[in-house]
Amino acid sequence: MSSSSPLERTVDKVLSQKESELISKIDSAYQESLRNLDSSKSKLNSEYMVIIENAKKQAENLKRQIVGSSRLSARNNQLVLIEDSVKTVFEMARKRLLSLHKEPDYEKLMKQALLNSLNEIGKTDLIIECNKTDSGLVRKLVDGINKEKGTKMVAADENVDILGGIRATSSDGTLTYDDSIDSRIERLKPLIRKNIVQILRGSERESWSQKVE
Amino acid sequence: MSESAAIEYTKVAEIKGPLIIIDGITKASFDELVEIETSDSTRRLGRVLEVGHGKAVVQVFEGTTGLAISGTKAKFLGKTMAMPVSPELLGRVFDGLGRPNDGLPDPIAEKFLDVNGEPMNPERREYPTSFIQTGVSVIDGMLTLVRGQKLPIFSGSGMPHNILAAQIARQATVVGTKEDFAVVFAAIGVQYSEAQYFKRSLEESGALRRSVLFLNLADDPAIERIITPRVALTVAEYLAFDMGMHVLAILTDMTNYEESLLEISAAREEVPGRKGYPGYLYTDLANNYERAGRIRGKNGSVTQVPILSMPADDITHPIPDLTGYITEGQIVLGRDLFRKGVYPPVNVLMSLSRLMKDGVGEGKTRSDHMEVGNQLYDAYSRAQEVRALAEIVGRSGLTGVDLKYLDAGDMFESHFLKQEKDENRGLEETLSRTWDVLSTLPEGELTKIKEKHVRQYYKETK
């Protein structure tokens, strides 16, 4: 007959109690780990989403910056090119204006400029300057106006380097009326530039639409 | 644009500070533009201040240094000063007189606008009611900027008003609409390093393409400063009312502008007013500030944020004093906060946006916006009182509620007010931070907020 001793039975009992205790502890630890893992997953997921969201925002900002600055620099290059074309047009116009004195209305224009100078300065004794080509015409017109109006205008002995038109100075040198072609160009330059650019942009658009077609 | 030729005068009677007096004048008009040619053929611009008895007083924008009575010519151009305007001004940098400063050619003008502008017809003004987000919590949350408003920043020397201005310029936007937004930035009498900072900061953030910069440096002639805000506001008006854009015009530093006004006034021997400033200081400031607003029937708006440094931090100085009469509130920077390292150091207790109530709330920002703004103001004010009390009786002498206010005050400064110089906070984040601060107080203390908002947003502490 095999019968265990009370000591052995107690040991077995303690062992089985400990075993079930340990198993339940392991089980609960396992469950807790699963729970932790689950919560970590969602935490990780939300952190991952935040990182991705931030990265997207940063990428979007960077994209905006890069696109913005490239557009700006392309626009600026276009402005420089347009300005070069405007300068070329002005140069061409200046060359053509050198032969303005051959135009039939030029004498009228010069006479009007002389009369304007008398009117604007408000004095009758003026010194009139012009370029070398116009000096003969100016002398003739000055004499004519002096006879007609009783003024004391004189054509200057020395010529000035202008495209055309006149510069009138009062005899005491305190007032100057500049009605040269150069000063007219300078005065109207912003408006002329605008017109040139409109023409350039118009032709750009035309050529672009032709390409598209 | 005048098509008739201009008369050139060579008889300079006197040169007096920034003014020259031309003799023998036959034709000249008030405010007429004058081109001054020096003996070495360099040209400067000026304008007629007074005319009569055959004499004209001309204010030379680029200063009279180097001008001599003999050899100086003055050509009266028969027109007032005009700024060429077109949409291509966006992305450009100009000097204080509106001349290109970025190495690019003159702008191709769509039209030329008189820099003096025209005062807005009060009958056609539209009341400003739409929110502009600056990305700066304290401004968006408590001192909301509204489209068409004029809201100055009062600062002191050495404080970071220019950094704040650049941050606003970079971040400002109209939220939730597809309407165009632009920034016109006028730096008046700033240091070279500051001007470079403004330029670089707008370039790097990509905000330059929607901005127009006018840079008048500290070493540029002071008289040029008279024109800088005017050209900037002319461009702002064009972009707003011709192009239909919402324009934020930042003018820094208006004190430098007024100093040049004082210089001219002294040279003209006018009777001085308060602290030597001319008697028409108020009118002159109003001429600039009143160019902000909205016009009925037009899409755009001009919102102004003029920045002025108060000499010796004196808010009763004529410039901030008179500015406060004209503008719709003010944002005051506090030296105590600055010393504590808080950026932006806005002293909210001295600041106010008078139009905030009309620009926030349901359908514009969020329904609780105005209430939390008021409650935060109240809480911070109480926190300041408690801080003063704690200095005397110590923390141990304070009640539990007082201690909560003390904590709320600290959190207000560290969590809500303080932000990075490149941190752009959305409105939701700003309002969430206001609730973070308010949630440190017991619910019962939130007497300025509707119960439904408290239930919805109050954050219970665990």
PDB file of all heavy atoms in Angstrom, chain A residues 65 68 75-76 80 83 120 173-176 178 187 190 193-194 197 201, chain B residues 3-5 7-10 27 88 90 105-106 109-110 112 204 209:
ATOM      1  N   GLN A  65       7.330  77.099 -50.807  1.00  0.00           N
ATOM      2  CA  GLN A  65       8.502  77.992 -50.862  1.00  0.00           C
ATOM      3  C   GLN A  65       9.252  77.832 -52.171  1.00  0.00           C
ATOM      4  O   GLN A  65       9.597  78.809 -52.831  1.00  0.00           O
ATOM      5  CB  GLN A  65       9.468  77.647 -49.735  1.00  0.00           C
ATOM      6  CG  GLN A  65       9.095  78.241 -48.405  1.00  0.00           C
ATOM      7  CD  GLN A  65      10.045  77.771 -47.325  1.00  0.00           C
ATOM      8  OE1 GLN A  65      11.207  77.530 -47.577  1.00  0.00           O
ATOM      9  NE2 GLN A  65       9.540  77.609 -46.125  1.00  0.00           N
ATOM     10  N   GLY A  68       7.123  78.958 -55.080  1.00  0.00           N
ATOM     11  CA  GLY A  68       6.987  80.415 -55.005  1.00  0.00           C
ATOM     12  C   GLY A  68       8.256  81.115 -55.453  1.00  0.00           C
ATOM     13  O   GLY A  68       8.212  82.018 -56.292  1.00  0.00           O
ATOM     14  N   ARG A  75       9.707  85.113 -63.009  1.00  0.00           N
ATOM     15  CA  ARG A  75       9.083  86.405 -63.325  1.00  0.00           C
ATOM     16  C   ARG A  75      10.145  87.504 -63.410  1.00  0.00           C
ATOM     17  O   ARG A  75      10.126  88.334 -64.318  1.00  0.00           O
ATOM     18  CB  ARG A  75       8.051  86.717 -62.235  1.00  0.00           C
ATOM     19  CG  ARG A  75       6.985  87.742 -62.539  1.00  0.00           C
ATOM     20  CD  ARG A  75       7.388  89.185 -62.385  1.00  0.00           C
ATOM     21  NE  ARG A  75       8.064  89.515 -61.154  1.00  0.00           N
ATOM     22  CZ  ARG A  75       7.462  90.050 -60.082  1.00  0.00           C
ATOM     23  NH1 ARG A  75       6.186  90.276 -60.111  1.00  0.00           N
ATOM     24  NH2 ARG A  75       8.176  90.360 -59.008  1.00  0.00           N
ATOM     25  N   ASN A  76      11.098  87.455 -62.469  1.00  0.00           N
ATOM     26  CA  ASN A  76      12.152  88.473 -62.458  1.00  0.00           C
ATOM     27  C   ASN A  76      13.025  88.389 -63.705  1.00  0.00           C
ATOM     28  O   ASN A  76      13.415  89.413 -64.273  1.00  0.00           O
ATOM     29  CB  ASN A  76      12.997  88.345 -61.201  1.00  0.00           C
ATOM     30  CG  ASN A  76      12.216  88.757 -59.959  1.00  0.00           C
ATOM     31  OD1 ASN A  76      11.153  89.357 -60.073  1.00  0.00           O
ATOM     32  ND2 ASN A  76      12.722  88.435 -58.791  1.00  0.00           N
ATOM     33  N   VAL A  80      13.658  91.274 -66.625  1.00  0.00           N
ATOM     34  CA  VAL A  80      14.966  91.713 -67.139  1.00  0.00           C
ATOM     35  C   VAL A  80      14.977  91.610 -68.660  1.00  0.00           C
ATOM     36  O   VAL A  80      15.444  92.525 -69.365  1.00  0.00           O
ATOM     37  CB  VAL A  80      16.105  90.868 -66.513  1.00  0.00           C
ATOM     38  CG1 VAL A  80      17.428  91.166 -67.175  1.00  0.00           C
ATOM     39  CG2 VAL A  80      16.187  91.120 -65.018  1.00  0.00           C
ATOM     40  N   GLU A  83      12.972  94.355 -70.148  1.00  0.00           N
ATOM     41  CA  GLU A  83      13.682  95.631 -70.063  1.00  0.00           C
ATOM     42  C   GLU A  83      14.757  95.721 -71.154  1.00  0.00           C
ATOM     43  O   GLU A  83      14.934  96.785 -71.747  1.00  0.00           O
ATOM     44  CB  GLU A  83      14.305  95.781 -68.672  1.00  0.00           C
ATOM     45  CG  GLU A  83      14.825  97.163 -68.359  1.00  0.00           C
ATOM     46  CD  GLU A  83      13.752  98.258 -68.417  1.00  0.00           C
ATOM     47  OE1 GLU A  83      12.559  97.943 -68.303  1.00  0.00           O
ATOM     48  OE2 GLU A  83      14.140  99.429 -68.627  1.00  0.00           O
ATOM     49  N   GLU A 120       6.529 130.180 -71.689  1.00  0.00           N
ATOM     50  CA  GLU A 120       6.796 129.516 -70.405  1.00  0.00           C
ATOM     51  C   GLU A 120       7.769 130.336 -69.546  1.00  0.00           C
ATOM     52  O   GLU A 120       7.582 130.465 -68.342  1.00  0.00           O
ATOM     53  CB  GLU A 120       7.369 128.109 -70.626  1.00  0.00           C
ATOM     54  CG  GLU A 120       6.382 127.103 -71.203  1.00  0.00           C
ATOM     55  CD  GLU A 120       5.262 126.740 -70.238  1.00  0.00           C
ATOM     56  OE1 GLU A 120       5.491 126.762 -69.019  1.00  0.00           O
ATOM     57  OE2 GLU A 120       4.151 126.446 -70.719  1.00  0.00           O
ATOM     58  N   GLY A 173      20.563 133.730 -67.332  1.00  0.00           N
ATOM     59  CA  GLY A 173      20.945 132.337 -67.035  1.00  0.00           C
ATOM     60  C   GLY A 173      20.195 131.690 -65.883  1.00  0.00           C
ATOM     61  O   GLY A 173      20.523 130.589 -65.484  1.00  0.00           O
ATOM     62  N   THR A 174      19.155 132.366 -65.378  1.00  0.00           N
ATOM     63  CA  THR A 174      18.461 131.806 -64.200  1.00  0.00           C
ATOM     64  C   THR A 174      17.346 130.825 -64.566  1.00  0.00           C
ATOM     65  O   THR A 174      16.945 130.012 -63.744  1.00  0.00           O
ATOM     66  CB  THR A 174      17.863 132.929 -63.320  1.00  0.00           C
ATOM     67  OG1 THR A 174      16.990 133.697 -64.134  1.00  0.00           O
ATOM     68  CG2 THR A 174      18.937 133.787 -62.701  1.00  0.00           C
ATOM     69  N   LEU A 175      16.841 130.908 -65.787  1.00  0.00           N
ATOM     70  CA  LEU A 175      15.733 130.026 -66.186  1.00  0.00           C
ATOM     71  C   LEU A 175      16.092 129.264 -67.459  1.00  0.00           C
ATOM     72  O   LEU A 175      16.637 129.852 -68.398  1.00  0.00           O
ATOM     73  CB  LEU A 175      14.473 130.841 -66.473  1.00  0.00           C
ATOM     74  CG  LEU A 175      13.855 131.637 -65.329  1.00  0.00           C
ATOM     75  CD1 LEU A 175      12.715 132.485 -65.858  1.00  0.00           C
ATOM     76  CD2 LEU A 175      13.325 130.702 -64.269  1.00  0.00           C
ATOM     77  N   THR A 176      15.771 127.997 -67.470  1.00  0.00           N
ATOM     78  CA  THR A 176      15.992 127.202 -68.680  1.00  0.00           C
ATOM     79  C   THR A 176      14.725 126.437 -69.007  1.00  0.00           C
ATOM     80  O   THR A 176      14.109 125.846 -68.110  1.00  0.00           O
ATOM     81  CB  THR A 176      17.160 126.201 -68.476  1.00  0.00           C
ATOM     82  OG1 THR A 176      18.297 126.930 -68.069  1.00  0.00           O
ATOM     83  CG2 THR A 176      17.472 125.426 -69.747  1.00  0.00           C
ATOM     84  N   ASP A 178      13.608 123.403 -71.307  1.00  0.00           N
ATOM     85  CA  ASP A 178      14.189 122.334 -72.119  1.00  0.00           C
ATOM     86  C   ASP A 178      13.086 121.656 -72.919  1.00  0.00           C
ATOM     87  O   ASP A 178      12.297 120.887 -72.370  1.00  0.00           O
ATOM     88  CB  ASP A 178      14.881 121.324 -71.168  1.00  0.00           C
ATOM     89  CG  ASP A 178      15.688 120.289 -71.934  1.00  0.00           C
ATOM     90  OD1 ASP A 178      15.536 120.222 -73.165  1.00  0.00           O
ATOM     91  OD2 ASP A 178      16.459 119.552 -71.293  1.00  0.00           O
ATOM     92  N   ARG A 187      10.700 112.438 -70.398  1.00  0.00           N
ATOM     93  CA  ARG A 187       9.468 112.747 -69.700  1.00  0.00           C
ATOM     94  C   ARG A 187       8.382 111.703 -69.952  1.00  0.00           C
ATOM     95  O   ARG A 187       7.647 111.316 -69.065  1.00  0.00           O
ATOM     96  CB  ARG A 187       8.975 114.119 -70.185  1.00  0.00           C
ATOM     97  CG  ARG A 187       8.450 114.982 -69.106  1.00  0.00           C
ATOM     98  CD  ARG A 187       8.335 116.425 -69.526  1.00  0.00           C
ATOM     99  NE  ARG A 187       7.879 116.683 -70.873  1.00  0.00           N
ATOM    100  CZ  ARG A 187       8.594 117.300 -71.801  1.00  0.00           C
ATOM    101  NH1 ARG A 187       9.825 117.666 -71.546  1.00  0.00           N
ATOM    102  NH2 ARG A 187       8.096 117.530 -73.005  1.00  0.00           N
ATOM    103  N   PRO A 190       8.064 106.574 -69.119  1.00  0.00           N
ATOM    104  CA  PRO A 190       7.236 105.559 -68.460  1.00  0.00           C
ATOM    105  C   PRO A 190       6.030 105.138 -69.298  1.00  0.00           C
ATOM    106  O   PRO A 190       5.680 103.965 -69.346  1.00  0.00           O
ATOM    107  CB  PRO A 190       6.783 106.259 -67.165  1.00  0.00           C
ATOM    108  CG  PRO A 190       7.794 107.327 -66.939  1.00  0.00           C
ATOM    109  CD  PRO A 190       8.239 107.771 -68.282  1.00  0.00           C
ATOM    110  N   ARG A 193       7.330 103.139 -72.332  1.00  0.00           N
ATOM    111  CA  ARG A 193       7.732 101.788 -71.883  1.00  0.00           C
ATOM    112  C   ARG A 193       6.510 100.894 -71.760  1.00  0.00           C
ATOM    113  O   ARG A 193       6.509  99.738 -72.185  1.00  0.00           O
ATOM    114  CB  ARG A 193       8.410 101.869 -70.504  1.00  0.00           C
ATOM    115  CG  ARG A 193       9.859 102.234 -70.554  1.00  0.00           C
ATOM    116  CD  ARG A 193      10.407 102.356 -69.166  1.00  0.00           C
ATOM    117  NE  ARG A 193      10.744 101.060 -68.600  1.00  0.00           N
ATOM    118  CZ  ARG A 193      10.390 100.661 -67.388  1.00  0.00           C
ATOM    119  NH1 ARG A 193       9.675 101.429 -66.614  1.00  0.00           N
ATOM    120  NH2 ARG A 193      10.756  99.494 -66.939  1.00  0.00           N
ATOM    121  N   LYS A 194       5.460 101.452 -71.165  1.00  0.00           N
ATOM    122  CA  LYS A 194       4.234 100.675 -70.963  1.00  0.00           C
ATOM    123  C   LYS A 194       3.674 100.191 -72.308  1.00  0.00           C
ATOM    124  O   LYS A 194       3.329  99.019 -72.473  1.00  0.00           O
ATOM    125  CB  LYS A 194       3.201 101.558 -70.251  1.00  0.00           C
ATOM    126  CG  LYS A 194       1.916 100.860 -69.922  1.00  0.00           C
ATOM    127  CD  LYS A 194       0.919 101.856 -69.367  1.00  0.00           C
ATOM    128  CE  LYS A 194      -0.475 101.294 -69.429  1.00  0.00           C
ATOM    129  NZ  LYS A 194      -1.483 102.286 -69.116  1.00  0.00           N
ATOM    130  N   VAL A 197       5.874  97.481 -73.825  1.00  0.00           N
ATOM    131  CA  VAL A 197       5.677  96.196 -73.138  1.00  0.00           C
ATOM    132  C   VAL A 197       4.346  95.567 -73.550  1.00  0.00           C
ATOM    133  O   VAL A 197       4.266  94.354 -73.759  1.00  0.00           O
ATOM    134  CB  VAL A 197       5.754  96.391 -71.603  1.00  0.00           C
ATOM    135  CG1 VAL A 197       5.366  95.116 -70.879  1.00  0.00           C
ATOM    136  CG2 VAL A 197       7.158  96.801 -71.206  1.00  0.00           C
ATOM    137  N   ARG A 201       4.213  91.981 -75.054  1.00  0.00           N
ATOM    138  CA  ARG A 201       3.432  90.915 -74.411  1.00  0.00           C
ATOM    139  C   ARG A 201       2.324  90.430 -75.327  1.00  0.00           C
ATOM    140  O   ARG A 201       2.012  89.244 -75.351  1.00  0.00           O
ATOM    141  CB  ARG A 201       2.860  91.408 -73.092  1.00  0.00           C
ATOM    142  CG  ARG A 201       3.953  91.519 -72.071  1.00  0.00           C
ATOM    143  CD  ARG A 201       3.410  91.548 -70.682  1.00  0.00           C
ATOM    144  NE  ARG A 201       4.510  91.385 -69.760  1.00  0.00           N
ATOM    145  CZ  ARG A 201       4.625  92.018 -68.613  1.00  0.00           C
ATOM    146  NH1 ARG A 201       3.686  92.856 -68.239  1.00  0.00           N
ATOM    147  NH2 ARG A 201       5.652  91.801 -67.821  1.00  0.00           N
TER     148      ARG A 201
ATOM    149  N   GLU B   3       2.756 116.569 -70.276  1.00  0.00           N
ATOM    150  CA  GLU B   3       3.471 116.402 -71.541  1.00  0.00           C
ATOM    151  C   GLU B   3       4.262 117.645 -71.900  1.00  0.00           C
ATOM    152  O   GLU B   3       5.078 117.628 -72.809  1.00  0.00           O
ATOM    153  CB  GLU B   3       2.477 116.069 -72.644  1.00  0.00           C
ATOM    154  CG  GLU B   3       1.925 114.666 -72.470  1.00  0.00           C
ATOM    155  CD  GLU B   3       1.061 114.228 -73.615  1.00  0.00           C
ATOM    156  OE1 GLU B   3       1.168 114.825 -74.693  1.00  0.00           O
ATOM    157  OE2 GLU B   3       0.284 113.294 -73.424  1.00  0.00           O
ATOM    158  N   SER B   4       4.003 118.772 -71.185  1.00  0.00           N
ATOM    159  CA  SER B   4       4.739 119.987 -71.520  1.00  0.00           C
ATOM    160  C   SER B   4       6.099 119.973 -70.850  1.00  0.00           C
ATOM    161  O   SER B   4       6.297 119.320 -69.823  1.00  0.00           O
ATOM    162  CB  SER B   4       3.949 121.215 -71.068  1.00  0.00           C
ATOM    163  OG  SER B   4       3.802 121.178 -69.676  1.00  0.00           O
ATOM    164  N   ALA B   5       7.036 120.714 -71.471  1.00  0.00           N
ATOM    165  CA  ALA B   5       8.404 120.721 -70.955  1.00  0.00           C
ATOM    166  C   ALA B   5       8.457 121.465 -69.625  1.00  0.00           C
ATOM    167  O   ALA B   5       7.611 122.298 -69.326  1.00  0.00           O
ATOM    168  CB  ALA B   5       9.301 121.401 -71.967  1.00  0.00           C
ATOM    169  N   ILE B   7      10.363 123.812 -66.589  1.00  0.00           N
ATOM    170  CA  ILE B   7      11.292 124.944 -66.490  1.00  0.00           C
ATOM    171  C   ILE B   7      12.328 124.640 -65.419  1.00  0.00           C
ATOM    172  O   ILE B   7      11.998 124.109 -64.356  1.00  0.00           O
ATOM    173  CB  ILE B   7      10.546 126.245 -66.146  1.00  0.00           C
ATOM    174  CG1 ILE B   7       9.572 126.569 -67.269  1.00  0.00           C
ATOM    175  CG2 ILE B   7      11.512 127.404 -65.947  1.00  0.00           C
ATOM    176  CD1 ILE B   7       8.865 127.884 -67.103  1.00  0.00           C
ATOM    177  N   GLU B   8      13.564 124.992 -65.747  1.00  0.00           N
ATOM    178  CA  GLU B   8      14.658 124.743 -64.810  1.00  0.00           C
ATOM    179  C   GLU B   8      15.135 126.088 -64.261  1.00  0.00           C
ATOM    180  O   GLU B   8      15.357 127.018 -65.034  1.00  0.00           O
ATOM    181  CB  GLU B   8      15.786 124.056 -65.586  1.00  0.00           C
ATOM    182  CG  GLU B   8      16.819 123.396 -64.726  1.00  0.00           C
ATOM    183  CD  GLU B   8      17.765 122.601 -65.605  1.00  0.00           C
ATOM    184  OE1 GLU B   8      18.626 123.218 -66.261  1.00  0.00           O
ATOM    185  OE2 GLU B   8      17.634 121.375 -65.639  1.00  0.00           O
ATOM    186  N   TYR B   9      15.238 126.169 -62.932  1.00  0.00           N
ATOM    187  CA  TYR B   9      15.685 127.421 -62.293  1.00  0.00           C
ATOM    188  C   TYR B   9      17.081 127.214 -61.716  1.00  0.00           C
ATOM    189  O   TYR B   9      17.376 126.142 -61.170  1.00  0.00           O
ATOM    190  CB  TYR B   9      14.730 127.809 -61.163  1.00  0.00           C
ATOM    191  CG  TYR B   9      13.328 128.112 -61.640  1.00  0.00           C
ATOM    192  CD1 TYR B   9      12.392 127.089 -61.758  1.00  0.00           C
ATOM    193  CD2 TYR B   9      12.945 129.404 -61.962  1.00  0.00           C
ATOM    194  CE1 TYR B   9      11.102 127.342 -62.194  1.00  0.00           C
ATOM    195  CE2 TYR B   9      11.653 129.664 -62.396  1.00  0.00           C
ATOM    196  CZ  TYR B   9      10.744 128.639 -62.510  1.00  0.00           C
ATOM    197  OH  TYR B   9       9.475 128.898 -62.949  1.00  0.00           O
ATOM    198  N   THR B  10      17.897 128.236 -61.822  1.00  0.00           N
ATOM    199  CA  THR B  10      19.269 128.096 -61.314  1.00  0.00           C
ATOM    200  C   THR B  10      19.539 129.034 -60.137  1.00  0.00           C
ATOM    201  O   THR B  10      20.639 129.061 -59.614  1.00  0.00           O
ATOM    202  CB  THR B  10      20.296 128.385 -62.427  1.00  0.00           C
ATOM    203  OG1 THR B  10      19.990 129.663 -62.981  1.00  0.00           O
ATOM    204  CG2 THR B  10      20.278 127.319 -63.483  1.00  0.00           C
ATOM    205  N   LYS B  27       6.407 129.930 -62.322  1.00  0.00           N
ATOM    206  CA  LYS B  27       5.308 128.956 -62.302  1.00  0.00           C
ATOM    207  C   LYS B  27       5.683 127.820 -61.369  1.00  0.00           C
ATOM    208  O   LYS B  27       6.699 127.148 -61.595  1.00  0.00           O
ATOM    209  CB  LYS B  27       5.099 128.370 -63.702  1.00  0.00           C
ATOM    210  CG  LYS B  27       4.174 129.142 -64.576  1.00  0.00           C
ATOM    211  CD  LYS B  27       3.991 128.395 -65.881  1.00  0.00           C
ATOM    212  CE  LYS B  27       3.124 129.207 -66.834  1.00  0.00           C
ATOM    213  NZ  LYS B  27       2.957 128.519 -68.109  1.00  0.00           N
ATOM    214  N   GLU B  88       2.675  93.570 -60.986  1.00  0.00           N
ATOM    215  CA  GLU B  88       4.060  93.073 -60.930  1.00  0.00           C
ATOM    216  C   GLU B  88       4.882  93.669 -59.790  1.00  0.00           C
ATOM    217  O   GLU B  88       6.045  93.338 -59.618  1.00  0.00           O
ATOM    218  CB  GLU B  88       4.753  93.336 -62.268  1.00  0.00           C
ATOM    219  CG  GLU B  88       4.303  92.353 -63.328  1.00  0.00           C
ATOM    220  CD  GLU B  88       4.699  92.757 -64.716  1.00  0.00           C
ATOM    221  OE1 GLU B  88       5.356  93.798 -64.875  1.00  0.00           O
ATOM    222  OE2 GLU B  88       4.329  92.031 -65.650  1.00  0.00           O
ATOM    223  N   LEU B  90       4.276  93.008 -56.820  1.00  0.00           N
ATOM    224  CA  LEU B  90       4.382  91.920 -55.837  1.00  0.00           C
ATOM    225  C   LEU B  90       5.702  91.171 -56.049  1.00  0.00           C
ATOM    226  O   LEU B  90       6.076  90.848 -57.178  1.00  0.00           O
ATOM    227  CB  LEU B  90       3.210  90.943 -55.983  1.00  0.00           C
ATOM    228  CG  LEU B  90       1.868  91.476 -55.496  1.00  0.00           C
ATOM    229  CD1 LEU B  90       0.747  90.581 -55.947  1.00  0.00           C
ATOM    230  CD2 LEU B  90       1.844  91.619 -53.979  1.00  0.00           C
ATOM    231  N   PRO B 105      14.600  96.179 -63.168  1.00  0.00           N
ATOM    232  CA  PRO B 105      14.226  97.482 -63.756  1.00  0.00           C
ATOM    233  C   PRO B 105      13.005  98.115 -63.074  1.00  0.00           C
ATOM    234  O   PRO B 105      12.328  97.458 -62.280  1.00  0.00           O
ATOM    235  CB  PRO B 105      13.905  97.123 -65.211  1.00  0.00           C
ATOM    236  CG  PRO B 105      13.655  95.664 -65.213  1.00  0.00           C
ATOM    237  CD  PRO B 105      14.446  95.073 -64.099  1.00  0.00           C
ATOM    238  N   ASP B 106      12.744  99.362 -63.436  1.00  0.00           N
ATOM    239  CA  ASP B 106      11.543 100.052 -62.926  1.00  0.00           C
ATOM    240  C   ASP B 106      10.307  99.224 -63.283  1.00  0.00           C
ATOM    241  O   ASP B 106      10.268  98.624 -64.355  1.00  0.00           O
ATOM    242  CB  ASP B 106      11.398 101.420 -63.619  1.00  0.00           C
ATOM    243  CG  ASP B 106      12.353 102.434 -63.028  1.00  0.00           C
ATOM    244  OD1 ASP B 106      12.810 102.209 -61.902  1.00  0.00           O
ATOM    245  OD2 ASP B 106      12.645 103.431 -63.709  1.00  0.00           O
ATOM    246  N   ALA B 109       4.418 100.390 -65.449  1.00  0.00           N
ATOM    247  CA  ALA B 109       3.236 100.908 -64.751  1.00  0.00           C
ATOM    248  C   ALA B 109       1.952 100.597 -65.493  1.00  0.00           C
ATOM    249  O   ALA B 109       1.892 100.714 -66.711  1.00  0.00           O
ATOM    250  CB  ALA B 109       3.378 102.397 -64.593  1.00  0.00           C
ATOM    251  N   GLU B 110       0.963 100.161 -64.745  1.00  0.00           N
ATOM    252  CA  GLU B 110      -0.380 100.066 -65.320  1.00  0.00           C
ATOM    253  C   GLU B 110      -0.995 101.457 -65.235  1.00  0.00           C
ATOM    254  O   GLU B 110      -1.702 101.894 -66.108  1.00  0.00           O
ATOM    255  CB  GLU B 110      -1.199  99.069 -64.510  1.00  0.00           C
ATOM    256  CG  GLU B 110      -2.404  98.560 -65.243  1.00  0.00           C
ATOM    257  CD  GLU B 110      -2.996  97.371 -64.528  1.00  0.00           C
ATOM    258  OE1 GLU B 110      -3.734  97.591 -63.549  1.00  0.00           O
ATOM    259  OE2 GLU B 110      -2.721  96.227 -64.944  1.00  0.00           O
ATOM    260  N   PHE B 112      -0.267 105.510 -62.883  1.00  0.00           N
ATOM    261  CA  PHE B 112       0.536 106.256 -61.914  1.00  0.00           C
ATOM    262  C   PHE B 112      -0.406 106.850 -60.878  1.00  0.00           C
ATOM    263  O   PHE B 112      -1.360 107.538 -61.236  1.00  0.00           O
ATOM    264  CB  PHE B 112       1.305 107.373 -62.623  1.00  0.00           C
ATOM    265  CG  PHE B 112       2.358 106.849 -63.551  1.00  0.00           C
ATOM    266  CD1 PHE B 112       2.034 106.481 -64.841  1.00  0.00           C
ATOM    267  CD2 PHE B 112       3.668 106.695 -63.129  1.00  0.00           C
ATOM    268  CE1 PHE B 112       2.988 105.963 -65.702  1.00  0.00           C
ATOM    269  CE2 PHE B 112       4.625 106.189 -63.977  1.00  0.00           C
ATOM    270  CZ  PHE B 112       4.283 105.819 -65.263  1.00  0.00           C
ATOM    271  N   GLU B 204      12.870  83.506 -47.559  1.00  0.00           N
ATOM    272  CA  GLU B 204      13.019  82.121 -47.127  1.00  0.00           C
ATOM    273  C   GLU B 204      11.682  81.452 -46.827  1.00  0.00           C
ATOM    274  O   GLU B 204      11.541  80.247 -46.968  1.00  0.00           O
ATOM    275  CB  GLU B 204      13.936  82.040 -45.898  1.00  0.00           C
ATOM    276  CG  GLU B 204      15.394  82.228 -46.288  1.00  0.00           C
ATOM    277  CD  GLU B 204      16.306  82.363 -45.087  1.00  0.00           C
ATOM    278  OE1 GLU B 204      15.820  82.283 -43.953  1.00  0.00           O
ATOM    279  OE2 GLU B 204      17.515  82.565 -45.308  1.00  0.00           O
ATOM    280  N   ARG B 209       6.770  86.537 -52.591  1.00  0.00           N
ATOM    281  CA  ARG B 209       6.018  86.642 -53.850  1.00  0.00           C
ATOM    282  C   ARG B 209       4.655  87.300 -53.661  1.00  0.00           C
ATOM    283  O   ARG B 209       4.022  87.719 -54.618  1.00  0.00           O
ATOM    284  CB  ARG B 209       5.890  85.279 -54.517  1.00  0.00           C
ATOM    285  CG  ARG B 209       4.964  84.336 -53.833  1.00  0.00           C
ATOM    286  CD  ARG B 209       5.207  82.910 -54.235  1.00  0.00           C
ATOM    287  NE  ARG B 209       4.722  82.020 -53.212  1.00  0.00           N
ATOM    288  CZ  ARG B 209       3.504  81.503 -53.203  1.00  0.00           C
ATOM    289  NH1 ARG B 209       2.658  81.788 -54.159  1.00  0.00           N
ATOM    290  NH2 ARG B 209       3.129  80.694 -52.236  1.00  0.00           N
TER     291      ARG B 209
END
